[in-house]
Amino acid sequence: MSEASASHAADRRELTAAQRNAVAELLRVSPVADELGRRFAAAGHELHLVGGSVRDALLGRLGNDLDFCTDAHPDETLRIVKGWAEAIWETGREFGTIGCRRDGLLLEITTYRAEAYDQVSRNPVVEYGTSLTDDLRRRDFTVNAMAVSLPEHRFTDPYGGLDDLAAKVIRTPGTPRESFGDDPLRMLRAARFAAQLRFAVHPDVRVAMGEMAADLDRITAERIRDEFTKLLCGADPITGLRLLVDTGLAERFLPELTGLKLTIDEHAQHKDVYEHTLTVVSNAMALESDGCDFVLRMAALMHDAGKPATKAVGSDGRVSFHHHEVVGARLTKARMKAMRYSKDVTAQVTKLVGLHLRFYGYGRGEWTDSAVRRYVTDAGDLLTRLHKLTRSDCTTRNRRKAAALAADYDALEERIARIAAEEDLARVRPDLDGNAIMELLGVPPGPVVGQAWKHLKELRLERGPLDRDEAEAELLRWARDQGVTS
């Protein structure tokens, strides 16, 4: 048997296994799905399980969220599911979608549609379609353009989605330009599926992504954010990130990533920052303990974002990036704000970027216990993530240097644990609270109390816990120096 024939036979065996998976998965949800199909048929309408639901059934990973399409319009769909569904929502009604819940399954039922963007606004113009085949053609990729008709379980695959699923290829039902013209977000979604499913993007699709990258500007920041988050949390985000950069899509919404492709000087006096960054993301993923940690991955991606702006070449030809963590934190905050991430998530990622260099210097024996306390206090509840980010940032190929850095960080973590056992590092606070300060100084609430509190906290960080007499003596000494009279 030739190599090509053997490969084809293997693909067919994979398809057979996929079909067996699909049967098992569909049997699990079929009582509800078939019952719903019979209700639509009784009302004179078609109902088909479609899109990601069919794809995931074939992959043996069908969840509890099911997508259907129908020739019934939303008002008719509502009439069919009322009295049968346990709950109904109409938030997607203007796009032809009615949602409902039954027996623990979440069902979304969408009218056949002919959907396109008007090239001016950022919102889709929805027109209802008339056939299943046309509806499937307007879907993003062939692996999402398969359907199972209900209740008869007839399989429809007009665009070769099953073969593409076996070949692990992302391809569009029609031409890529037609698909991306309908919804430019599909270009970003192609990269996301490459990251999530570990599929290759068909060369024609890749070319169109590069040629039409500017069309992504028509899409709202929120939709881009959601797709990018899924990409970064995929099983293989590095493939997706490379695709974004190579096609120019990253330049449209995350130019800092493209900007990391700095020209390396002739003496190779600094690392390839782009490749280093992708390695740091991979390293960070390896340290995750319970699924995707978006904050950690995003901090890893952005930790060197400030290097292009701070690159300098000294008289000896060596390259430096002084204060790139400060500039990077500022750029990260601005970029995540533009992408409409929440203030809380933005603040966490920004803080990690700003702190990621703090560790360096510890191995030279320069850190006092005070420095360790400040490190822990400044990191706050991000300390565990900071540990992971700092360890991930070590990408040197010099084994001796890598081992030394790892040993230094082990020592720092051990030292943190030792000091934490002696002191409450998780809540470093002054040894006197506001009430005690006011009572001892004889002052009312106001700025003086805050200044005294801050002074005592600095002492706490510098010297560790003080006993009550020491704390009071230090407060009174400060008050005298500041001209505060009791």
Side-chain angles (χ1 to χ4, degrees):
M1 181 184 292
S2 70
E3 184 177 340
S5 298
S7 176
H8 183 71
D11 284 349
R12 299 315 302 176
R13 286 195 297 273
E14 286 187 31
L15 291 181
T16 302
Q19 289 166 322
R20 285 199 301 270
N21 285 335
V23 169
E25 291 290 277
L26 291 172
L27 282 174
R28 179 174 65 81
V29 302
S30 110
V32 170
D34 288 351
E35 189 176 339
L36 184 60
R38 286 192 290 270
R39 291 180 71 88
F40 272 80
H45 293 291
E46 301 175 1
L47 184 73
H48 313 275
L49 188 69
V50 290
S53 294
V54 177
R55 179 200 71 224
D56 288 344
L58 289 164
L59 292 173
R61 46 180 252 184
L62 181 62
N64 292 326
D65 294 358
L66 305 180
D67 295 323
F68 300 87
C69 70
T70 178
D71 60 343
H73 285 198
D75 288 344
E76 297 167 287
T77 295
L78 277 172
R79 283 194 292 270
I80 293 169
V81 300
K82 277 185 176 177
W84 175 82
E86 296 159 357
I88 297 173
W89 53 94
E90 303 179 41
T91 51
R93 183 171 182 164
E94 64 177 309
F95 301 113
T97 299
I98 300 298
C100 62
R101 184 179 69 245
R102 173 83 177 192
D103 291 350
L105 298 175
L106 299 179
L107 320 173
E108 284 201 345
I109 307 160
T110 303
T111 305
Y112 295 153
R113 55 185 166 190
E115 181 181 281
Y117 280 72
D118 64 8
Q119 310 295 320
V120 177
S121 77
R122 296 183 176 188
N123 297 313
V125 176
V126 176
E127 295 179 3
Y128 295 138
T130 57
S131 78
L132 173 62
T133 301
D134 287 347
D135 180 89
L136 294 177
R137 181 179 175 82
R138 293 182 177 92
R139 292 181 180 268
D140 51 7
F141 307 113
T142 58
V143 294
N144 295 329
M146 298 177 282
V148 176
S149 302
L150 301 167
E152 64 269 31
H153 292 188
R154 184 180 71 255
F155 185 68
T156 301
D157 180 21
Y159 305 107
L162 198 57
D163 286 334
D164 287 344
L165 196 65
K168 298 182 178 179
V169 172
I170 299 296
R171 192 169 57 85
T172 55
T175 68
R177 294 192 68 87
E178 177 186 51
S179 180
F180 299 154
D182 278 350
D183 185 353
L185 188 68
R186 290 173 176 173
M187 295 184 287
L188 183 51
R189 196 173 294 149
R192 189 250 289 185
F193 279 127
Q196 282 187 327
L197 302 176
R198 298 180 185 272
F199 281 17
V201 175
H202 191 279
D204 292 346
V205 175
R206 182 186 287 263
V207 168
M209 290 167 68
E211 292 175 347
M212 300 179 68
D215 285 14
L216 195 65
D217 296 349
R218 290 159 40 200
I219 304 301
T220 62
E222 290 82 1
R223 295 184 72 210
I224 291 174
R225 174 201 64 205
D226 292 346
E227 283 296 328
F228 176 73
T229 300
K230 293 173 184 176
L231 183 158
L232 193 58
C233 279
D236 181 19
I238 305 307
T239 292
L241 293 169
R242 288 190 187 281
L243 192 57
L244 293 180
V245 171
D246 293 345
T247 58
L249 285 168
E251 189 65 30
R252 312 313 304 186
F253 70 95
L254 191 62
E256 291 80 7
L257 178 58
T258 304
L260 294 175
K261 300 192 84 169
L262 296 173
T263 301
I264 300 179
D265 59 283
E266 59 179 330
H267 301 294
Q269 295 283 6
H270 68 84
K271 294 177 182 177
D272 181 328
V273 181
Y274 174 68
E275 291 297 333
H276 163 74
T277 295
L278 297 183
T279 301
V280 173
V281 173
S282 294
N283 290 347
M285 289 172 59
L287 296 177
E288 290 172 335
S289 56
D290 186 21
C292 173
D293 183 343
F294 173 78
V295 168
L296 177 62
R297 292 192 189 190
M298 189 66 177
L301 185 67
M302 298 296 288
H303 80 286
D304 277 348
K307 279 192 170 179
T310 58
K311 181 181 177 182
V313 181
S315 57
D316 60 355
R318 299 191 66 84
V319 176
S320 64
F321 305 95
H322 294 307
H323 305 302
H324 76 266
E325 75 281 12
V326 177
V327 175
R330 185 171 68 245
L331 291 172
T332 298
K333 182 177 181 180
R335 180 55 53 200
M336 293 187 71
K337 180 179 180 181
M339 292 177 71
R340 304 292 193 271
Y341 280 101
S342 70
K343 290 182 179 179
D344 181 54
V345 169
T346 299
Q348 291 180 63
V349 175
T350 300
K351 178 182 271 192
L352 286 172
V353 172
L355 289 174
H356 84 274
L357 281 186
R358 180 75 71 85
F359 161 72
Y360 293 95
Y362 178 81
R364 296 192 295 268
E366 299 170 358
W367 282 36
T368 61
D369 281 359
S370 172
V372 175
R373 292 187 196 99
R374 292 179 189 279
Y375 187 76
V376 173
T377 301
D378 289 348
D381 58 7
L382 293 173
L383 181 62
T384 299
R385 284 187 173 121
L386 182 57
H387 288 331
K388 293 177 180 179
L389 178 60
T390 302
R391 289 185 181 275
S392 299
D393 196 22
C394 177
T395 63
T396 178
R397 293 193 180 104
N398 184 318
R399 292 185 179 180
R400 182 178 297 178
K401 183 177 180 182
L405 285 170
D408 286 346
Y409 210 83
D410 287 342
L412 174 58
E413 290 199 55
E414 290 171 4
R415 190 170 175 186
I416 289 172
R418 175 182 62 76
I419 296 175
E422 299 168 357
E423 310 171 19
D424 186 6
L425 281 185
R427 296 179 60 193
V428 174
R429 301 178 64 82
D431 297 284
L432 300 175
D433 63 17
N435 290 328
I437 291 171
M438 288 187 288
E439 180 180 351
L440 192 62
L441 297 184
V443 297
V448 169
V449 179
Q451 293 164 12
W453 191 94
K454 185 176 180 181
H455 172 72
L456 289 174
K457 181 176 180 179
E458 286 296 314
L459 282 178
R460 173 71 169 77
L461 288 168
E462 188 66 32
R463 291 162 47 181
L466 306 179
D467 63 31
R468 180 78 181 199
D469 289 342
E470 280 185 294
E472 290 183 354
E474 290 292 348
L475 176 62
L476 293 173
R477 184 178 298 113
W478 173 86
R480 286 194 300 272
D481 292 344
Q482 299 298 315
V484 177
T485 57
S486 60

